[in-house]
Amino acid sequence: MIDWMRQSLHRFLSFFHKPQLDQELDAEMAAHLEFAIEENLQHGMSPDEARRQALVGFGGTEQAKEHHREARSLPVLEILSQDLRYTSRTLRRDRAFALISILILALGIGANIAVFSVVNTLLLRPLPFPDSQQLTWFAGSHGQGPLSGITYNVGSYEEFRRHNQSFQEVTTFQPFWGSSEYNMTGHGEPQHVQAVMVADNFFRTLAVQPALGRIFLPTECVKGAVPTVLMTHAFWQQQFSSDPAIVGQSITLDNKAATVVGVLPSSFDFPSVFWPGLRADIFIPAVMDDIRDWGNTLVILGRLKPGVSLAQAQAEANVLLPQLKAAHPEWFMEYTADMTSLKDYVSGKLRRSLIVLWCAVGLILLIVCVNLSDLLLARLASRNKEFAVRNALGASRGRLIRQLLTESLALSCAGALLGVGLAYAVTYYLAHQGSIVLPLLSSVRVDGTALAWTLAITLVVGVLFGIAPGLILSGANVQENLKDAGRGLSEGRKHDVMRSALVVSEVALSLVLLVGAGLLMRSFLRILDVELGFQPSHAAASTINYDDGNDGAKRGVILQEILRQVIALPGIEAAGVADMLPLDRNRSWGLLNPSRSYAKDENLSAIVRIVTPGYLDAMGIRLTAGRDFSWQDAANTEGVVIINETGARRHWPGKSPIGRLARGMGKDPDRVVGVVADVRISSLETSPGSEMYLLATEASPEGSELVVRSKLPPDVLTPMVMSTLRKLNPAQPATVFRPVQTLVDHSVSPRRFFVMLVSIFAGLGLILAALGIYGVISYSVTRQTQEIGIRMALGATAGHVLLGVLSKTLRLAMLGIGLGAIASFAVARWISSLLFRTEPADPATFGIMIFLLIAVACAAGFFPARRASGIDPMVALRND
Amino acid sequence: MSESKLDLLQGTLDLMVLQTLAALGPLHGYGIARRIEQVSGNAVLLNQGTIYASLVRLQQRGWISAEWGTSSNNRKAKFYSLTKKGRKQLSEDTAYWQRLSGVMGRVLSMQDEGETK
């Protein structure tokens, strides 16, 4: 067996050393003859006789050489190399054809590799954790509503972790981005640092090993422990220049020292899995006793025991959670857990979009194949004689088809090479951009799987578009072509029918793409038209930092002073502070009308924003009744609240809530002073529920975002406001004003990404269809030159001829459009869940796309039609 | 059909080459061919040229090795010699051939007896 492999390897290698081996054999054979002649001479032969006898004994030298070659090498490879040499010669001769085909193939294959890489990363590849299929995500409240609804309190997490039987580990982190912000001092300029609060077993559950140092010890996660931190690899590189000595040292966070116990590996990208588009710099231990009374602040994830299925774990939780609630009457809600694999949680929502994208790019590849088939057929027509000659010289039909396939495969391989380069560029861009908020995007790359996929599609494509010319050739009487000048009527007609069929399918496929892209585009425009509830233009936000000792009154004084000075700056129209911005972060408390009765299990949650006077103006949130907060409200004993229109309609139906009392959960009632427009909270596509605004002096904010309304650009605004803030608080970290519009842009970026890609593919499909139509019509005009000449000689006008060609074009296009429209209806229904306020059978989209396709078809048919109408009958008839 | 016949012939020639090298030590292509002709009493009609296909095959399998050298009459030639693996292969093949020819002999002589009676 080994010997056999060794021999195969040698045979394969010797193919590449042909000249050297041949030379050696020649030398050896020459020596052989010399020996023989010498011996013959010794036996007394004459020199001539000695030479003759030596040659007789040796047998045919050429035969011996051929045997030797066959024995040492692979004949298949020899033929292939012949075909390839021939291919490269013919393609060099027809450079324009080769370039266009390779370019088209590179676009088609490159787009496929890039999309495959994205699909592979987001959908197919497991998450970047060992045995990641065991990782399970718990969604509270059936995954519906704001973050506060789907999270858990400390008690339920601890109790579930203690009593469950299904999981090796149950762990948690605090998912409210921005709620653990620190001001890091002592290392250059003060820095805003985003921390993630994680449980002691968080990294153990994910099976993440630190790159340096160690992970948290259980003793570091209890009340009173010395503060510790773990750093992400990126933060360590940027802030500490990858200094390994940092482990064991302490850094200063909010004026308190914390010991660095380790650095996480670069492969661990927390935001790309859990917080797409956001940032995490350090990890700190979640001290459960500190956050026990904070309400729902934790997400739960677990690692299943080997052999335990998700369904078993779900069944256990369905029984266990109500039991735990019964034992803990102090929990203010019934907890449920909808379990999914972590992978599903991360990319499940994107599955449909990604599959649509994948199909779209597959359609492009199909169109590319059809187009190249068409080009090859056109070429075949002009190569009839060449094949006839080769056939006459002894090449079998099989050998000719093999030659054709070699050519198409060589083209597709060249296209694939270029396409891989293209895909590398695209995936590099995707992995390093910051404006598309999709999970795992930072780890998108062309990997081994993608390259294997490339190889597969390259071969399939090469065979697919090489097969049509092969079929024509195999059915043709090759010899006939030698006599005929390529005008053979039946032959030409068969050719024409095949090419027409290809163009019709090309038009149909591109209509499907166009309609799909059109529907998605229309949905996207509808989303951009959504009433946001605030005015993002000319508003910018920046995180600010102050020390209020958690005292509401002190906070009021500080914020009032900051706002007074900021508003006094030139060019600032309004300014206000909120703890969270719309489309960014959210949390919910309760809201109810105390003089109304509610059903027992009615969902009374409302999104809460803790704001200063002026925030509504700065954000451009429209007041529909009542008034904004004022700093005088802070002095009154009675609390105040502003609610949104949905909340007003829901809790005070038919009445004005202004001046009435509203109750949050377990607090003194507040007086409703204003009603504002609904503000989109988590996405543009879901309408918000109840919302309320509380005054910053009366409730604890979760962070603070300074929002200013100004026509100044951010790079003017930032230094101006920053110097004011630094004057008030020297420890104010350097931050940059970001336009509020970026919140909107980030929120719609996944959809923009999909729409953009599908539209690009549709455009590509349209261009290819136009090329195909042009090729077919142009060829048929060339073939019918004589016929047209005769008709013109008999009195047909140029206009007649032009119309004739154009109507032929339109017939082809309409046939394709008819078939494509039927397919488009089916496809539109299939993607209807991705549409937003757009009917799958949207007449406008269908109409526009069909019109576009007809227009493009006419344009593509016009040039050959004009050429036909310009034919000089005399020249045409004299020709040939 | 013709392929299996060719295989057998190839195998035969390969074995002859191995045995020749085992008996005589390193030898060039002409020497091997002449030696086989002599030993077989010129009963084998050998196109000497075919020996080179056999030699390259054996070499690729690692059973013989080749080296350019100088012959006794000062001519440059490629000398082949048996490798350790080749020696092992030779003893296996020899045993096989002897068994086969023994069996063939017995079978054929039985048929002879049947016909004479």
Side-chain angles (χ1 to χ4, degrees):
Chain A
M1 197 62 189
I2 302 283
D3 286 350
W4 171 81
M5 275 163 55
R6 192 191 147 101
Q7 189 185 7
S8 305
L9 180 70
H10 274 288
R11 289 178 76 157
F12 181 72
L13 290 179
S14 63
F15 168 72
F16 299 99
H17 298 125
K18 195 172 171 204
Q20 189 204 333
L21 291 171
D22 277 351
Q23 216 178 343
E24 221 170 291
L25 180 65
D26 282 346
E28 210 178 348
M29 280 170 26
H32 184 114
L33 289 175
E34 293 292 334
F35 282 126
I37 291 168
E38 207 159 301
E39 192 179 332
N40 288 346
L41 284 174
Q42 280 170 7
H43 288 164
M45 293 183 196
S46 68
D48 279 354
E49 182 62 8
R51 179 161 192 84
R52 203 182 67 82
Q53 285 297 335
L55 284 170
V56 168
F58 191 83
T61 47
E62 281 311 310
Q63 241 171 320
K65 279 188 197 171
E66 203 49 48
H67 273 143
H68 188 263
R69 278 188 208 125
E70 260 172 45
R72 75 166 188 233
S73 184
L74 296 168
V76 181
L77 273 183
E78 305 269 348
I79 293 179
L80 182 69
S81 87
Q82 272 180 22
D83 279 352
L84 280 176
R85 271 201 302 277
Y86 188 76
T87 298
S88 83
R89 263 210 311 276
T90 47
L91 290 183
R92 260 206 303 272
R93 224 172 24 225
D94 208 346
R95 209 163 282 172
F97 163 79
L99 273 180
I100 290 181
S101 331
I102 291 174
L103 209 65
I104 291 175
L105 278 162
L107 284 176
I109 296 178
N112 266 274
I113 307 169
V115 168
F116 177 82
S117 302
V118 172
V119 170
N120 185 32
T121 309
L122 269 64
L123 226 51
L124 309 179
R125 212 158 55 193
L127 289 175
F129 305 113
D131 291 319
S132 63
Q133 76 285 353
Q134 294 173 338
L135 295 172
T136 306
W137 177 262
F138 291 47
S141 306
H142 310 293
Q144 302 294 313
L147 204 44
S148 301
I150 64 172
T151 43
Y152 298 83
N153 68 354
V154 170
S156 58
Y157 155 66
E158 284 180 341
E159 288 292 274
F160 188 85
R161 182 177 169 180
R162 189 170 303 137
H163 293 288
N164 86 86
Q165 302 293 323
S166 307
F167 292 90
Q168 316 173 36
E169 296 277 3
V170 171
T171 192
T172 183
F173 68 91
Q174 215 266 53
F176 291 85
W177 189 79
S179 64
S180 309
E181 285 182 330
Y182 289 93
N183 188 8
M184 185 175 82
T185 46
H187 278 273
E189 274 212 333
Q191 284 286 331
H192 249 303
V193 178
Q194 288 292 348
V196 190
M197 227 186 235
V198 299
D200 54 350
N201 63 345
F202 181 72
F203 297 105
R204 200 165 68 226
T205 307
L206 294 181
V208 171
Q209 303 293 332
L212 279 179
R214 56 169 175 80
I215 55 176
F216 297 126
L217 302 174
T219 50
E220 286 162 349
C221 304
V222 295
K223 207 175 172 81
V226 180
T228 47
V229 300
L230 273 160
M231 282 179 187
T232 65
H233 203 267
F235 186 71
W236 176 59
Q237 274 180 334
Q238 282 155 22
Q239 296 299 320
F240 298 95
S241 326
S242 305
D243 176 15
I246 193 67
V247 174
Q249 291 185 18
S250 70
I251 57 174
T252 310
L253 300 174
D254 283 359
N255 298 323
K256 290 189 197 90
T259 309
V260 178
V261 297
V263 176
L264 292 162
S266 59
S267 59
F268 178 64
D269 191 351
F270 179 87
S272 86
V273 176
F274 297 102
W275 281 347
L278 302 177
R279 204 181 85 207
D281 302 318
I282 59 170
F283 292 83
I284 54 174
V287 176
M288 294 303 164
D289 285 334
D290 286 345
I291 58 176
R292 193 168 298 281
D293 301 326
W294 286 11
N296 290 353
T297 53
L298 300 176
V299 293
I300 304 185
L301 58 150
R303 184 180 276 280
L304 288 168
K305 286 179 180 164
V308 176
S309 72
L310 199 61
Q312 286 167 325
Q314 179 74 63
E316 190 199 10
N318 290 348
V319 176
L320 183 56
L321 283 168
Q323 286 173 359
L324 294 176
K325 165 68 181 154
H328 291 274
E330 76 276 13
W331 296 354
F332 65 91
M333 65 183 274
E334 301 267 356
Y335 287 103
T336 57
D338 285 27
M339 294 185 186
T340 51
S341 69
L342 184 59
K343 173 92 195 175
D344 259 354
Y345 164 73
V346 171
S347 58
K349 280 170 290 192
L350 298 168
R351 181 186 311 256
R352 181 52 74 88
S353 304
L354 286 170
I355 290 175
V356 166
L357 199 59
W358 207 2
C359 291
V361 87
L363 272 186
I364 275 293
L365 200 60
L366 217 56
I367 295 178
V368 164
C369 280
V370 173
N371 213 293
L372 281 175
S373 258
D374 192 44
L375 281 178
L376 281 187
L377 277 179
R379 240 178 123 242
L380 187 65
S382 60
R383 287 174 75 186
N384 269 340
K385 276 199 178 165
E386 172 200 332
F387 282 109
V389 169
R390 289 192 69 189
N391 184 246
L393 291 179
S396 67
R397 187 165 292 172
R399 182 67 197 275
L400 291 183
I401 292 174
R402 189 150 144 188
Q403 169 68 37
L404 275 177
L405 278 181
T406 310
E407 283 183 26
S408 64
L409 280 172
L411 283 176
S412 72
C413 286
L417 273 183
L418 204 58
V420 166
L422 209 68
Y424 264 107
V426 171
T427 48
Y428 182 86
Y429 163 75
L430 286 179
H432 292 85
Q433 54 71 46
S435 56
I436 304 168
V437 182
L438 284 176
L440 303 173
L441 205 59
S442 62
S443 53
V444 167
R445 61 183 188 281
V446 180
D447 61 359
T449 324
L451 288 179
W453 173 255
T454 309
L455 190 65
I457 58 175
T458 304
L459 294 181
V460 169
V461 163
V463 170
L464 216 57
F465 74 76
I467 208 114
L471 282 178
I472 289 270
L473 193 67
S474 69
N477 187 346
V478 183
Q479 288 295 345
E480 276 300 302
N481 291 329
L482 198 53
K483 302 178 216 150
D484 186 67
R487 247 189 311 147
L489 276 181
S490 63
E491 209 51 53
R493 192 159 299 142
K494 186 169 159 196
H495 216 107
D496 248 13
V497 168
M498 192 140 187
R499 290 192 68 188
S500 301
L502 287 177
V503 166
V504 166
S505 53
E506 209 173 4
V507 170
L509 290 174
S510 56
L511 181 64
V512 171
L513 266 182
L514 281 173
V515 167
L519 290 173
L520 289 174
M521 178 79 82
R522 200 172 161 87
S523 302
F524 184 62
L525 294 178
R526 285 267 154 87
I527 284 173
L528 292 187
D529 268 354
V530 154
E531 183 59 52
L532 291 170
F534 58 94
Q535 306 286 337
S537 50
H538 303 309
S542 169
T543 312
I544 57 168
N545 196 272
Y546 53 83
D547 186 12
D548 58 9
N550 225 358
D551 174 40
K554 197 172 164 196
R555 180 161 55 240
V557 173
I558 295 172
L559 289 176
Q560 195 174 357
E561 182 56 22
I562 289 177
L563 290 176
R564 194 183 64 77
Q565 295 208 14
V566 168
I567 290 173
L569 291 171
I572 306 278
E573 293 161 24
V577 173
D579 61 342
M580 298 176 193
L581 298 176
L583 300 176
D584 194 17
R585 299 187 281 135
N586 64 69
R587 61 172 169 166
S588 59
W589 290 356
L591 173 70
L592 55 85
N593 174 354
S595 51
R596 233 190 102 188
S597 58
Y598 293 91
K600 191 168 163 285
D601 54 352
E602 206 170 326
N603 182 4
L604 298 174
S605 71
I607 297 287
V608 62
R609 300 270 183 246
I610 294 166
V611 303
T612 63
Y615 168 75
L616 296 180
D617 276 349
M619 252 337 239
I621 297 173
R622 189 165 43 87
L623 205 59
T624 58
R627 60 169 179 89
D628 189 6
F629 296 131
S630 76
W631 288 110
Q632 275 82 45
D633 291 328
N636 297 338
T637 46
E638 189 181 60
V640 284
V641 61
I642 293 174
I643 60 175
N644 71 340
E645 289 177 307
T646 299
R649 268 198 307 274
R650 167 128 191 254
H651 298 289
W652 291 271
K655 283 178 254 165
S656 166
I658 302 291
R660 297 178 197 272
L661 283 176
R663 188 188 279 279
M665 276 184 184
K667 287 174 65 245
D668 290 332
D670 293 320
R671 186 75 62 191
V672 178
V673 296
V675 177
V676 293
D678 290 352
V679 170
R680 298 277 156 166
I681 293 304
S682 50
S683 90
L684 269 57
E685 298 173 41
T686 45
S687 41
S690 304
E691 296 170 73
M692 62 178 168
Y693 299 82
L694 297 171
L695 191 56
T697 52
E698 292 171 4
S700 317
E702 280 275 348
S704 53
E705 300 277 351
L706 171 66
V707 180
V708 298
R709 179 154 291 274
S710 166
K711 293 197 170 62
L712 298 175
D715 52 337
V716 178
L717 210 53
T718 300
M720 188 172 77
V721 178
M722 203 50 65
S723 71
T724 308
L725 293 175
R726 278 269 163 82
K727 246 183 283 164
L728 292 166
N729 175 17
Q732 166 66 39
T735 56
V736 179
F737 271 96
R738 46 181 182 150
V740 171
Q741 182 64 39
T742 56
L743 295 176
V744 182
D745 291 344
H746 274 199
S747 165
V748 298
S749 66
R751 199 177 257 278
R752 168 175 290 142
F753 174 66
F754 289 125
V755 168
M756 195 181 70
L757 285 184
V758 175
S759 304
I760 289 175
F761 298 154
L764 203 59
L766 190 64
I767 293 173
L768 290 177
L771 263 179
I773 293 172
Y774 173 80
V776 166
I777 301 298
S778 177
Y779 174 71
S780 86
V781 166
T782 307
R783 229 170 43 75
Q784 293 174 336
T785 302
Q786 273 194 329
E787 188 192 325
I788 295 171
I790 291 171
R791 283 174 51 203
M792 289 179 91
L794 292 179
T797 63
H800 269 126
V801 172
L802 189 88
L803 276 182
V805 176
L806 273 184
S807 77
K808 181 180 164 130
T809 312
L810 273 181
R811 270 204 306 279
L812 282 184
M814 291 314 292
L815 200 56
I817 285 171
L819 292 174
I822 297 170
S824 301
F825 271 113
V827 168
R829 202 156 299 279
W830 180 60
I831 62 168
S832 61
S833 67
L834 297 179
L835 302 181
F836 181 79
R837 295 189 191 164
T838 306
E839 284 301 308
D842 184 40
T845 306
F846 272 79
I848 289 172
M849 292 308 165
I850 288 174
F851 178 77
L852 182 64
L853 205 48
I854 291 176
V856 167
C858 283
F862 179 73
F863 295 99
R866 204 179 52 179
R867 188 156 55 85
S869 69
I871 286 174
D872 181 343
M874 292 319 289
V875 176
L877 289 174
R878 228 181 290 131
N879 206 352
D880 189 43
Chain B
M1 268 295 123
S2 65
E3 252 180 33
S4 67
K5 206 164 138 193
L6 198 70
D7 268 349
L8 189 66
L9 283 173
Q10 268 180 12
T12 322
L13 183 57
D14 289 357
L15 185 55
M16 287 176 186
V17 170
L18 288 178
Q19 175 60 37
T20 308
L21 288 176
L24 298 179
L27 216 55
H28 46 68
Y30 177 71
I32 300 169
R34 278 301 289 150
R35 195 65 194 160
I36 292 172
E37 282 175 348
Q38 284 165 6
V39 170
S40 66
N42 285 336
V44 179
L45 187 62
L46 180 71
N47 268 341
Q48 289 171 3
T50 52
I51 198 116
Y52 290 100
S54 171
L55 283 171
V56 77
R57 197 158 46 231
L58 293 173
Q59 211 184 331
Q60 285 183 340
R61 287 181 187 150
W63 296 346
I64 61 173
S65 60
E67 212 177 4
W68 284 93
T70 318
S71 72
S72 52
N73 51 5
N74 250 340
R75 236 178 249 293
K76 263 177 75 83
K78 212 177 192 179
F79 281 80
Y80 296 90
S81 50
L82 207 56
T83 62
K84 212 191 245 176
K85 239 160 110 184
R87 205 170 292 282
K88 206 177 127 220
Q89 188 66 32
L90 175 62
S91 66
E92 276 172 27
D93 284 1
T94 309
Y96 171 78
W97 268 101
Q98 279 166 352
R99 264 179 64 200
L100 185 65
S101 60
V103 170
M104 286 308 287
R106 280 204 298 283
V107 169
L108 292 177
S109 64
M110 175 194 76
Q111 269 187 348
D112 268 348
E113 281 164 25
E115 259 178 37
T116 48
K117 268 180 192 175

